[in-house]
Structures are given as structure tokens and as C-alpha cells.
Amino acid sequence: MKLHTIKLSITFLFLITASVFAQDFQGKAVYHSKTTMDLDSWGRGQMSEEQKKRIADRMKSMFEKTYVLTFNRFESTYKEEERLEAPGQGGFGRMMMGNFTGGPQYKNVKEAQLLQEQEFFGKQFLVKDELQKLEWKMDGETKQIGQYTCFKATATKKVDDMDFMSMRRKSRKNDEKKEGEEVKDSVKSDDPMDELEVPKEMLVTAWYTLQVPVNQGPGEYWGLPGLILEVNAGRTTILCSKITLNPEEKEDIKAPTKGKEVTRQEYNAIMKQKIKEMREMYGGRRGGNFHRRN
């Protein structure tokens, strides 16, 4: 009964707030994204605290980013804010991750369309996909983010098999010998990629506000009756720090057109082939030594 009353209140508030937004409405939101990394499980306990700190400092620029979402009632662009690299960051690791992370992203929630520009090893692609529709569940819980009252929603999301930010070390259950069984993988691979996996799905928790009644959010997240200000998914947290509504200078929100148009499935196949080539080039013990030099 309480949840039903909350839903009615949400609908009423949304209708009233939406009526004051003109057709040419536009807004900007700044988001900070942070992904944590479990260096203990990756290092198998062999790294010192000093080594862990050094690696974490080098990877900070890859796992802590700032994005700007420019949006109107139906469209949005989501771009990483460029910044200068601090000494000791960047390097080969940063260059590699830059090839495997997305470029500027365009969403059209009315047409359920997602377009993403991506430069991959010197080649320009335009990845075209449908927006993944999440089955959001609302429980009526609220909290304050800045000056905005936000409502909680949760959903289970299918994870792209090339989502490197969601990559984790494989379970070590198979390493343990059970009674009456032999350990099948007693010979370990020298390739560190063989120890990694991407989960098939993950729980997503989002916080949205009806004070900005647009069906938008950071990255691929959308589908709620208000702007999504915070997302928690796996080891990644995305949090809005600033919102500007109806800025004096408005930007054209246009679908990108540059690059070879491919589907997400086709693009993933291209990435997998490139990774295979690189594993063959730097594989085996050479790959392990190369990894340790970083």
C-alpha cells in the first residue's frame, strides 16, 4: 500500500514537473566515474604494498574519469572530459586501454538507438546498437544528492563480453583438489589474459530525480522517469556532481556519422581478433615478462 502511494506521488510529481519543460529544453550534467580494482586477487598475494600502490597510481587515469552528458528531452551525448596526464600515468597501459574503451556516445531514447564513435588502432568505427532496456524495480527508497531528491531503482543488466571495466579474475575453485578428483588445470598458462573473465550479468542500482524529468542517464543507462544521478554497477560507481539546466549557449545534439558503421557484435569480433593477434605477438613468457616490466 505504501509503495503504491509512493508510485502515485512519483507519477503526479513527474507530470507537474514535465509540464514546465519546453520543447527546446536542454541540460548538462557532469559525472565522475570510478572503478575499483582488487589487486590482492590479481597479484596472488605476491605483490608488496608498495607495488600495489605504484600500480594503482599508474592506473588511476584509466579507472577514474570525468564525463559530460548533454541532453534534451529525447537525445543526449556522453563525452569524456579531456585532461592532461600526470607524470607516471599514461604510458603503454593507458594507450592500450584507450583502444578498448568507448569514444563519444549518442543516445536517442525515443528511437532506442545507441551510437558510439570509436577509434581502434588507427581505424575509425561507428558502433550502432539498440539501447538495452532494463527492467527497473522501484522500492520507494529515497536519498538526497546535492539539492535533488532521488529515488532508488534496481535492475539486472547483461554485461558486454568485451567490457574491460567489468573484467575480473576467474574463480579459483577449479584450482582446489576435491576428494577423488584430479586437478585438471595443474599446468598454468603464462598468458595473464587466461585468468580473466567478464561476468554475464550484474546488479545495477540507480538513483534518479524527478526534478529533471528526462529519460536519460550516464553512459548506456536510461529508462527511468527522471535524470539518473548515480549508478552503482559491479566495481564501478558513476556520480553526478553538477547539473546546468537551459544554459545560455546550447549545443547541437546530433547523431555521429564518422567511421565505418558496424554493429556491436561485429565490433566485438574485430576487437577479439586484434587481442588474439597481440597475444600471439606478446604471448607466452615474453608476455609475462613484458607485463612485469610495467
Side-chain angles (χ1 to χ4, degrees), residues 154-232:
T154 58
T156 299
K157 172 192 173 187
K158 292 181 180 178
V159 182
D160 188 285
D161 60 357
M162 296 303 289
D163 183 354
F164 284 85
M165 289 301 180
S166 299
M167 191 171 283
R168 65 190 182 190
R169 186 165 175 256
K170 290 180 181 177
S171 172
R172 299 183 65 181
K173 290 181 180 179
N174 292 333
D175 295 343
E176 301 174 359
K177 184 177 180 179
K178 297 180 180 179
E179 186 177 353
E181 293 181 358
E182 295 183 0
V183 179
K184 296 180 180 180
D185 56 346
S186 58
V187 180
K188 302 294 182 182
S189 170
D190 290 314
D191 192 336
M193 292 297 292
D194 289 337
E195 295 189 19
L196 307 179
E197 66 178 1
V198 176
K200 295 186 181 299
E201 60 183 26
M202 67 171 61
L203 177 67
V204 177
T205 300
W207 294 88
Y208 65 97
T209 178
L210 298 176
Q211 292 166 257
V212 188
V214 294
N215 192 356
Q216 294 284 357
E220 69 271 27
Y221 299 104
W222 68 294
L224 288 166
L227 181 65
I228 299 173
L229 300 192
E230 181 178 337
V231 172
N232 295 283

Coordinates of all heavy atoms in Angstrom, one line a residue, residues 154-232:
T154 N 16.5 -0.6 -9.1 CA 17.5 -1.6 -9.4 C 17.1 -2.5 -10.6 O 15.9 -2.6 -11.0 CB 17.6 -2.6 -8.2 OG1 16.4 -3.2 -7.9 CG2 18.1 -1.8 -7.0
A155 N 18.1 -3.1 -11.2 CA 17.8 -3.9 -12.4 C 19.0 -4.8 -12.6 O 20.1 -4.6 -12.1 CB 17.6 -3.1 -13.7
T156 N 18.8 -5.9 -13.3 CA 19.9 -6.9 -13.7 C 20.2 -6.6 -15.1 O 19.4 -6.6 -16.0 CB 19.4 -8.3 -13.5 OG1 19.1 -8.6 -12.1 CG2 20.5 -9.3 -13.9
K157 N 21.5 -6.4 -15.3 CA 22.0 -6.0 -16.7 C 22.9 -7.0 -17.3 O 23.7 -7.6 -16.6 CB 22.8 -4.6 -16.6 CG 23.5 -4.2 -17.8 CD 24.4 -3.1 -17.6 CE 25.3 -2.8 -18.8 NZ 26.3 -1.8 -18.5
K158 N 22.6 -7.3 -18.6 CA 23.5 -8.2 -19.3 C 24.8 -7.4 -19.6 O 24.8 -6.3 -20.0 CB 22.9 -8.7 -20.6 CG 21.7 -9.6 -20.4 CD 21.1 -10.0 -21.8 CE 19.9 -10.9 -21.6 NZ 19.4 -11.3 -22.9
V159 N 26.0 -8.1 -19.3 CA 27.3 -7.4 -19.5 C 27.9 -7.8 -20.8 O 27.9 -8.9 -21.2 CB 28.2 -7.8 -18.4 CG1 29.6 -7.1 -18.5 CG2 27.6 -7.5 -17.0
D160 N 28.3 -6.8 -21.5 CA 29.0 -7.0 -22.8 C 30.3 -7.8 -22.6 O 31.0 -7.5 -21.6 CB 29.4 -5.6 -23.4 CG 29.9 -5.7 -24.9 OD1 31.0 -6.2 -25.0 OD2 29.2 -5.4 -25.8
D161 N 30.5 -8.8 -23.4 CA 31.7 -9.7 -23.2 C 33.0 -9.0 -23.4 O 34.0 -9.6 -23.2 CB 31.5 -11.0 -24.0 CG 31.5 -10.7 -25.5 OD1 31.5 -9.6 -25.9 OD2 31.4 -11.7 -26.2
M162 N 33.0 -7.8 -23.9 CA 34.2 -7.0 -24.1 C 34.3 -5.8 -23.2 O 35.0 -4.8 -23.5 CB 34.4 -6.6 -25.6 CG 34.5 -7.7 -26.6 SD 35.9 -8.8 -26.2 CE 37.3 -7.8 -26.6
D163 N 33.5 -5.8 -22.1 CA 33.5 -4.8 -21.1 C 34.7 -4.9 -20.2 O 34.6 -5.7 -19.2 CB 32.2 -4.8 -20.4 CG 32.1 -3.6 -19.4 OD1 33.1 -2.9 -19.2 OD2 31.0 -3.5 -18.8
F164 N 35.8 -4.3 -20.5 CA 37.0 -4.5 -19.7 C 36.9 -3.9 -18.3 O 37.6 -4.4 -17.4 CB 38.2 -3.8 -20.5 CG 38.7 -4.6 -21.6 CD1 38.1 -4.5 -22.9 CD2 39.7 -5.5 -21.5 CE1 38.5 -5.2 -24.0 CE2 40.1 -6.3 -22.6 CZ 39.5 -6.1 -23.8
M165 N 36.0 -2.9 -18.1 CA 35.9 -2.4 -16.8 C 35.2 -3.4 -15.8 O 35.3 -3.2 -14.6 CB 35.1 -1.1 -16.8 CG 35.8 0.1 -17.4 SD 37.3 0.5 -16.5 CE 38.0 1.8 -17.5
S166 N 34.5 -4.4 -16.4 CA 33.9 -5.4 -15.6 C 34.7 -6.7 -15.4 O 34.3 -7.6 -14.8 CB 32.5 -5.7 -16.1 OG 31.7 -4.6 -16.2
M167 N 35.9 -6.6 -16.0 CA 36.7 -7.8 -16.1 C 37.2 -8.2 -14.6 O 37.5 -7.3 -13.8 CB 37.9 -7.6 -17.0 CG 38.7 -8.9 -17.3 SD 39.9 -8.6 -18.6 CE 38.8 -8.6 -20.0
R168 N 37.2 -9.5 -14.4 CA 37.6 -10.0 -13.0 C 38.5 -11.2 -13.2 O 38.4 -11.9 -14.3 CB 36.4 -10.2 -12.2 CG 35.6 -11.4 -12.7 CD 34.2 -11.5 -12.0 NE 33.5 -12.6 -12.5 CZ 32.2 -12.9 -12.1 NH1 31.6 -12.0 -11.3 NH2 31.6 -13.9 -12.6
R169 N 39.2 -11.6 -12.1 CA 39.9 -12.8 -12.2 C 39.0 -14.0 -12.0 O 38.0 -14.0 -11.3 CB 40.9 -12.9 -11.0 CG 41.9 -14.1 -11.1 CD 43.0 -13.9 -10.2 NE 43.9 -15.1 -10.2 CZ 43.9 -15.9 -9.2 NH1 43.1 -15.7 -8.1 NH2 44.6 -17.0 -9.2
K170 N 39.2 -15.1 -12.8 CA 38.4 -16.3 -12.7 C 38.4 -16.9 -11.3 O 39.4 -16.8 -10.6 CB 38.9 -17.3 -13.7 CG 38.6 -16.9 -15.2 CD 39.1 -18.0 -16.1 CE 38.8 -17.5 -17.6 NZ 39.4 -18.5 -18.5
S171 N 37.3 -17.5 -11.0 CA 37.3 -18.2 -9.7 C 38.3 -19.3 -9.6 O 38.7 -20.0 -10.5 CB 35.9 -18.9 -9.5 OG 35.9 -19.7 -8.4
R172 N 38.9 -19.4 -8.4 CA 40.0 -20.3 -8.2 C 39.5 -21.7 -7.6 O 40.2 -22.5 -7.2 CB 41.0 -19.8 -7.2 CG 41.7 -18.5 -7.7 CD 42.7 -18.0 -6.7 NE 43.8 -18.9 -6.6 CZ 44.9 -18.7 -5.8 NH1 44.9 -17.6 -5.1 NH2 45.9 -19.6 -5.8
K173 N 38.2 -21.9 -7.7 CA 37.6 -23.1 -7.2 C 38.2 -24.3 -8.0 O 38.4 -25.4 -7.4 CB 36.1 -23.1 -7.4 CG 35.4 -22.1 -6.4 CD 33.9 -22.2 -6.6 CE 33.2 -21.3 -5.7 NZ 31.7 -21.3 -5.8
N174 N 38.4 -24.1 -9.3 CA 39.0 -25.3 -10.1 C 40.4 -25.6 -9.7 O 40.9 -26.7 -10.0 CB 38.9 -24.9 -11.6 CG 37.5 -24.8 -12.1 OD1 36.6 -25.5 -11.5 ND2 37.3 -24.1 -13.1
D175 N 41.1 -24.7 -8.9 CA 42.5 -24.9 -8.5 C 42.5 -25.9 -7.3 O 43.5 -26.4 -7.0 CB 43.2 -23.6 -8.2 CG 43.3 -22.7 -9.4 OD1 43.2 -23.2 -10.5 OD2 43.6 -21.5 -9.2
E176 N 41.4 -26.0 -6.6 CA 41.4 -26.8 -5.4 C 41.0 -28.2 -5.7 O 40.0 -28.5 -6.4 CB 40.3 -26.2 -4.4 CG 40.6 -24.7 -4.1 CD 39.6 -24.1 -3.2 OE1 38.6 -24.9 -2.9 OE2 39.7 -23.0 -2.8
K177 N 41.8 -29.1 -5.2 CA 41.6 -30.5 -5.5 C 40.5 -31.1 -4.6 O 40.6 -30.9 -3.4 CB 42.9 -31.3 -5.3 CG 42.8 -32.8 -5.6 CD 44.1 -33.5 -5.5 CE 44.0 -34.9 -5.8 NZ 45.3 -35.6 -5.7
K178 N 39.5 -31.7 -5.2 CA 38.4 -32.3 -4.4 C 38.7 -33.8 -4.2 O 39.4 -34.4 -5.0 CB 37.1 -32.1 -5.1 CG 36.6 -30.7 -5.3 CD 35.3 -30.6 -6.0 CE 34.9 -29.1 -6.1 NZ 33.6 -29.0 -6.9
E179 N 38.1 -34.3 -3.2 CA 38.4 -35.7 -2.8 C 37.9 -36.6 -4.0 O 36.8 -36.5 -4.5 CB 37.6 -36.1 -1.6 CG 37.9 -37.5 -1.1 CD 37.2 -37.8 0.2 OE1 36.6 -36.9 0.8 OE2 37.3 -39.0 0.7
G180 N 38.8 -37.5 -4.4 CA 38.5 -38.4 -5.5 C 38.7 -37.8 -6.9 O 38.3 -38.4 -7.9
E181 N 39.1 -36.5 -7.0 CA 39.2 -35.9 -8.3 C 40.7 -35.4 -8.5 O 41.4 -35.2 -7.5 CB 38.3 -34.7 -8.4 CG 36.8 -35.0 -8.4 CD 36.0 -33.8 -8.5 OE1 36.5 -32.7 -8.5 OE2 34.8 -33.9 -8.6
E182 N 41.0 -35.3 -9.7 CA 42.3 -34.7 -10.1 C 42.2 -33.3 -10.5 O 41.2 -32.9 -11.1 CB 43.0 -35.5 -11.2 CG 43.3 -37.0 -10.9 CD 43.9 -37.7 -12.0 OE1 44.2 -37.0 -13.1 OE2 44.3 -38.9 -11.9
V183 N 43.2 -32.5 -10.2 CA 43.2 -31.1 -10.6 C 43.5 -31.0 -12.1 O 44.5 -31.5 -12.6 CB 44.3 -30.3 -9.8 CG1 44.3 -28.9 -10.3 CG2 44.0 -30.4 -8.3
K184 N 42.5 -30.5 -12.8 CA 42.6 -30.5 -14.3 C 43.6 -29.5 -14.8 O 44.2 -29.6 -15.9 CB 41.2 -30.3 -14.9 CG 40.2 -31.4 -14.6 CD 38.9 -31.1 -15.2 CE 37.9 -32.2 -14.9 NZ 36.5 -32.0 -15.5
D185 N 43.7 -28.3 -14.1 CA 44.5 -27.2 -14.7 C 45.8 -27.1 -13.9 O 46.1 -26.0 -13.5 CB 43.7 -25.9 -14.7 CG 43.2 -25.6 -13.3 OD1 43.2 -26.4 -12.4 OD2 42.7 -24.4 -13.1
S186 N 46.5 -28.2 -13.6 CA 47.7 -28.1 -12.9 C 48.8 -27.3 -13.6 O 49.7 -26.8 -13.0 CB 48.2 -29.5 -12.5 OG 48.4 -30.3 -13.7
V187 N 48.7 -27.3 -14.9 CA 49.7 -26.5 -15.7 C 49.1 -25.2 -16.0 O 48.1 -25.1 -16.7 CB 50.0 -27.2 -17.0 CG1 51.0 -26.4 -17.8 CG2 50.6 -28.6 -16.7
K188 N 49.7 -24.2 -15.4 CA 49.1 -22.8 -15.5 C 49.6 -22.2 -16.8 O 50.7 -22.4 -17.3 CB 49.6 -21.9 -14.4 CG 49.1 -22.5 -13.0 CD 47.6 -22.5 -12.9 CE 47.2 -23.0 -11.5 NZ 45.7 -23.0 -11.4
S189 N 48.8 -21.3 -17.4 CA 49.1 -20.6 -18.6 C 50.0 -19.4 -18.2 O 49.8 -18.8 -17.2 CB 47.9 -20.1 -19.3 OG 48.2 -19.2 -20.4
D190 N 51.0 -19.1 -19.1 CA 51.8 -17.9 -18.9 C 51.1 -16.6 -19.3 O 51.6 -15.5 -19.1 CB 53.1 -18.1 -19.7 CG 54.0 -19.1 -19.1 OD1 54.2 -19.1 -17.8 OD2 54.6 -19.9 -19.8
D191 N 50.0 -16.8 -20.0 CA 49.3 -15.6 -20.5 C 48.3 -15.1 -19.5 O 47.4 -15.8 -19.1 CB 48.5 -16.0 -21.8 CG 47.9 -14.7 -22.5 OD1 47.8 -13.7 -21.9 OD2 47.7 -14.8 -23.7
P192 N 48.5 -13.9 -18.9 CA 47.6 -13.4 -17.9 C 46.1 -13.3 -18.3 O 45.2 -13.3 -17.5 CB 48.2 -12.0 -17.5 CG 49.0 -11.6 -18.7 CD 49.5 -12.9 -19.3
M193 N 45.9 -13.1 -19.6 CA 44.5 -13.0 -20.1 C 43.7 -14.3 -19.9 O 42.5 -14.2 -19.8 CB 44.5 -12.7 -21.6 CG 45.0 -11.3 -21.9 SD 44.0 -10.0 -21.2 CE 42.5 -10.1 -22.2
D194 N 44.4 -15.4 -19.7 CA 43.7 -16.7 -19.5 C 43.1 -16.7 -18.1 O 42.2 -17.6 -17.8 CB 44.7 -17.9 -19.7 CG 45.0 -18.1 -21.1 OD1 44.3 -17.6 -22.0 OD2 46.1 -18.6 -21.4
E195 N 43.5 -15.8 -17.2 CA 43.0 -15.8 -15.9 C 41.8 -14.9 -15.7 O 41.2 -14.8 -14.6 CB 44.1 -15.4 -14.9 CG 45.2 -16.4 -14.8 CD 46.2 -16.0 -13.6 OE1 45.8 -15.3 -12.7 OE2 47.3 -16.5 -13.7
L196 N 41.4 -14.2 -16.7 CA 40.4 -13.2 -16.6 C 39.1 -13.6 -17.3 O 39.0 -14.4 -18.2 CB 40.9 -11.9 -17.3 CG 42.2 -11.3 -16.8 CD1 42.6 -10.1 -17.6 CD2 42.2 -11.1 -15.3
E197 N 38.0 -13.0 -16.8 CA 36.7 -13.3 -17.3 C 35.8 -12.0 -17.1 O 36.1 -11.2 -16.3 CB 36.0 -14.5 -16.7 CG 35.7 -14.3 -15.2 CD 35.0 -15.5 -14.6 OE1 34.8 -16.5 -15.3 OE2 34.7 -15.4 -13.4
V198 N 34.7 -12.0 -17.9 CA 33.7 -10.9 -17.7 C 32.4 -11.6 -17.3 O 32.0 -12.6 -17.9 CB 33.5 -10.2 -19.1 CG1 32.3 -9.1 -18.9 CG2 34.7 -9.4 -19.5
P199 N 31.8 -11.1 -16.2 CA 30.5 -11.7 -15.7 C 29.4 -11.6 -16.8 O 29.4 -10.6 -17.6 CB 30.2 -11.0 -14.5 CG 30.9 -9.7 -14.6 CD 32.1 -10.0 -15.4
K200 N 28.5 -12.5 -16.9 CA 27.4 -12.5 -17.9 C 26.4 -11.4 -17.5 O 25.8 -10.9 -18.4 CB 26.8 -13.9 -18.0 CG 27.7 -14.9 -18.5 CD 27.0 -16.2 -18.8 CE 27.9 -17.3 -19.3 NZ 28.5 -16.9 -20.6
E201 N 26.2 -11.2 -16.2 CA 25.2 -10.1 -15.8 C 25.6 -9.6 -14.5 O 26.5 -10.1 -13.8 CB 23.8 -10.7 -15.7 CG 23.7 -11.9 -14.8 CD 22.2 -12.4 -14.8 OE1 21.6 -12.3 -15.8 OE2 21.8 -13.0 -13.7
M202 N 25.1 -8.4 -14.2 CA 25.4 -7.8 -12.9 C 24.2 -7.0 -12.4 O 23.3 -6.6 -13.2 CB 26.6 -6.8 -13.0 CG 26.4 -5.6 -13.9 SD 27.7 -4.4 -13.8 CE 29.1 -5.4 -14.4
L203 N 24.1 -6.7 -11.1 CA 23.1 -5.9 -10.5 C 23.4 -4.5 -10.6 O 24.6 -4.1 -10.3 CB 22.9 -6.3 -9.0 CG 21.9 -5.5 -8.2 CD1 20.5 -5.7 -8.8 CD2 22.0 -5.8 -6.8
V204 N 22.5 -3.7 -11.1 CA 22.7 -2.2 -11.2 C 21.7 -1.5 -10.3 O 20.5 -1.8 -10.2 CB 22.4 -1.7 -12.7 CG1 22.5 -0.2 -12.8 CG2 23.3 -2.4 -13.6
T205 N 22.3 -0.6 -9.5 CA 21.5 0.3 -8.6 C 21.6 1.7 -9.1 O 22.7 2.2 -9.3 CB 21.9 0.2 -7.2 OG1 21.8 -1.1 -6.7 CG2 21.1 1.1 -6.3
A206 N 20.4 2.3 -9.4 CA 20.4 3.7 -9.9 C 19.6 4.6 -9.0 O 18.7 4.2 -8.4 CB 19.9 3.7 -11.3
W207 N 20.0 5.9 -9.0 CA 19.3 6.9 -8.2 C 18.9 8.0 -9.2 O 19.8 8.6 -9.8 CB 20.1 7.4 -7.1 CG 20.4 6.4 -6.0 CD1 21.5 5.6 -6.0 CD2 19.7 6.1 -4.9 NE1 21.4 4.8 -4.9 CE2 20.3 5.1 -4.2 CE3 18.5 6.7 -4.3 CZ2 19.8 4.6 -3.0 CZ3 18.0 6.2 -3.1 CH2 18.7 5.1 -2.5
Y208 N 17.6 8.3 -9.3 CA 17.1 9.3 -10.3 C 16.3 10.3 -9.6 O 15.7 10.1 -8.6 CB 16.3 8.6 -11.4 CG 15.0 8.0 -10.9 CD1 13.8 8.6 -11.1 CD2 15.0 6.7 -10.3 CE1 12.6 8.1 -10.6 CE2 13.9 6.1 -9.9 CZ 12.7 6.8 -10.0 OH 11.5 6.3 -9.5
T209 N 16.2 11.5 -10.3 CA 15.4 12.6 -9.7 C 14.3 13.0 -10.7 O 14.5 13.2 -11.9 CB 16.3 13.8 -9.4 OG1 15.5 14.9 -8.9 CG2 17.1 14.3 -10.7
L210 N 13.1 13.2 -10.1 CA 12.0 13.7 -10.9 C 12.1 15.2 -11.1 O 11.3 15.8 -11.9 CB 10.7 13.4 -10.2 CG 10.4 11.9 -10.0 CD1 9.2 11.7 -9.2 CD2 10.3 11.2 -11.3
Q211 N 13.0 15.9 -10.5 CA 13.2 17.3 -10.7 C 13.8 17.7 -12.0 O 13.7 18.8 -12.5 CB 14.0 17.9 -9.5 CG 13.4 17.9 -8.2 CD 14.4 18.1 -7.0 OE1 14.8 17.2 -6.4 NE2 14.7 19.4 -6.9
V212 N 14.3 16.7 -12.7 CA 14.8 16.8 -14.1 C 14.1 15.6 -14.8 O 14.7 14.6 -15.0 CB 16.3 16.7 -14.2 CG1 16.8 17.1 -15.6 CG2 17.0 17.7 -13.2
P213 N 12.9 15.8 -15.3 CA 12.1 14.7 -15.9 C 12.4 14.4 -17.3 O 11.7 14.6 -18.2 CB 10.7 15.3 -15.8 CG 10.8 16.8 -16.0 CD 12.1 17.1 -15.3
V214 N 13.7 13.8 -17.5 CA 14.1 13.3 -18.8 C 14.5 11.9 -18.6 O 14.9 11.5 -17.6 CB 15.2 14.2 -19.4 CG1 14.8 15.6 -19.7 CG2 16.4 14.1 -18.4
N215 N 14.3 11.1 -19.7 CA 14.5 9.7 -19.7 C 16.0 9.4 -20.1 O 16.3 8.7 -21.0 CB 13.6 9.0 -20.7 CG 13.5 7.5 -20.6 OD1 14.2 6.9 -19.8 ND2 12.7 6.9 -21.4
Q216 N 16.9 10.0 -19.3 CA 18.3 10.0 -19.6 C 19.2 9.6 -18.4 O 18.7 9.5 -17.3 CB 18.8 11.3 -20.2 CG 18.1 11.8 -21.5 CD 18.8 11.1 -22.7 OE1 19.7 10.3 -22.5 NE2 18.2 11.3 -23.9
G217 N 20.4 9.3 -18.7 CA 21.4 9.0 -17.7 C 22.8 8.8 -18.3 O 23.0 8.9 -19.5
P218 N 23.8 8.6 -17.4 CA 25.2 8.5 -17.9 C 25.4 7.2 -18.7 O 24.7 6.1 -18.4 CB 26.0 8.4 -16.6 CG 25.0 7.9 -15.6 CD 23.7 8.4 -16.0
G219 N 26.2 7.2 -19.7 CA 26.5 6.0 -20.5 C 25.3 5.4 -21.1 O 24.5 6.1 -21.7
E220 N 25.2 4.1 -21.0 CA 24.0 3.4 -21.6 C 22.8 3.3 -20.7 O 21.8 2.7 -21.1 CB 24.5 2.0 -22.0 CG 24.7 1.0 -20.9 CD 26.2 1.1 -20.4 OE1 26.8 2.1 -20.5 OE2 26.6 0.0 -19.8
Y221 N 22.9 4.0 -19.6 CA 21.8 3.9 -18.6 C 20.7 4.9 -18.9 O 20.9 6.1 -19.2 CB 22.3 4.1 -17.2 CG 23.3 3.0 -16.8 CD1 24.7 3.3 -16.8 CD2 22.9 1.7 -16.5 CE1 25.6 2.3 -16.4 CE2 23.8 0.8 -16.2 CZ 25.2 1.1 -16.2 OH 26.1 0.1 -15.9
W222 N 19.4 4.4 -18.9 CA 18.3 5.3 -19.2 C 17.0 4.5 -18.7 O 17.1 3.5 -18.1 CB 18.2 5.5 -20.7 CG 17.9 4.2 -21.5 CD1 18.7 3.1 -21.6 CD2 16.7 3.9 -22.2 NE1 18.0 2.2 -22.4 CE2 16.8 2.6 -22.7 CE3 15.5 4.6 -22.5 CZ2 15.8 2.0 -23.5 CZ3 14.5 4.0 -23.2 CH2 14.7 2.8 -23.7
G223 N 15.8 5.0 -19.1 CA 14.6 4.2 -18.9 C 13.9 4.5 -17.6 O 13.0 3.7 -17.2
L224 N 14.3 5.6 -16.9 CA 13.6 6.0 -15.6 C 12.9 7.3 -15.8 O 13.3 8.1 -16.7 CB 14.6 6.0 -14.5 CG 15.1 4.6 -14.0 CD1 16.3 4.7 -13.1 CD2 14.0 3.8 -13.3
P225 N 11.9 7.6 -15.0 CA 11.1 8.9 -15.2 C 11.8 10.1 -14.7 O 11.1 11.0 -14.2 CB 9.8 8.6 -14.4 CG 10.2 7.7 -13.3 CD 11.3 6.8 -13.9
G226 N 13.1 10.1 -14.8 CA 13.9 11.3 -14.3 C 15.3 11.0 -14.6 O 15.8 9.9 -14.8
L227 N 16.1 12.1 -14.6 CA 17.6 12.0 -14.9 C 18.3 11.1 -13.8 O 18.1 11.4 -12.6 CB 18.2 13.4 -14.9 CG 19.7 13.5 -15.2 CD1 20.0 13.0 -16.6 CD2 20.2 14.9 -15.0
I228 N 19.1 10.2 -14.2 CA 19.8 9.3 -13.3 C 21.0 10.1 -12.9 O 21.9 10.5 -13.7 CB 20.2 8.0 -14.0 CG1 19.0 7.2 -14.5 CG2 21.1 7.1 -13.1 CD1 19.3 6.0 -15.3
L229 N 21.2 10.2 -11.5 CA 22.3 11.0 -11.0 C 23.4 10.1 -10.4 O 24.5 10.5 -10.3 CB 21.8 11.9 -9.9 CG 20.8 13.0 -10.3 CD1 20.7 14.0 -9.1 CD2 21.2 13.7 -11.5
E230 N 23.1 8.8 -10.1 CA 24.1 7.9 -9.6 C 23.8 6.5 -10.1 O 22.7 6.1 -10.1 CB 24.1 7.9 -8.1 CG 25.2 7.0 -7.4 CD 25.2 7.1 -5.9 OE1 24.7 8.1 -5.4 OE2 25.7 6.1 -5.3
V231 N 24.9 5.8 -10.4 CA 24.8 4.4 -10.8 C 25.9 3.6 -10.1 O 27.0 4.1 -10.0 CB 25.0 4.3 -12.4 CG1 25.1 2.8 -12.7 CG2 23.9 4.9 -13.1
N232 N 25.5 2.5 -9.6 CA 26.4 1.5 -9.0 C 26.3 0.2 -9.7 O 25.2 -0.4 -9.6 CB 26.2 1.4 -7.5 CG 26.4 2.6 -6.7 OD1 27.6 3.0 -6.4 ND2 25.3 3.3 -6.3

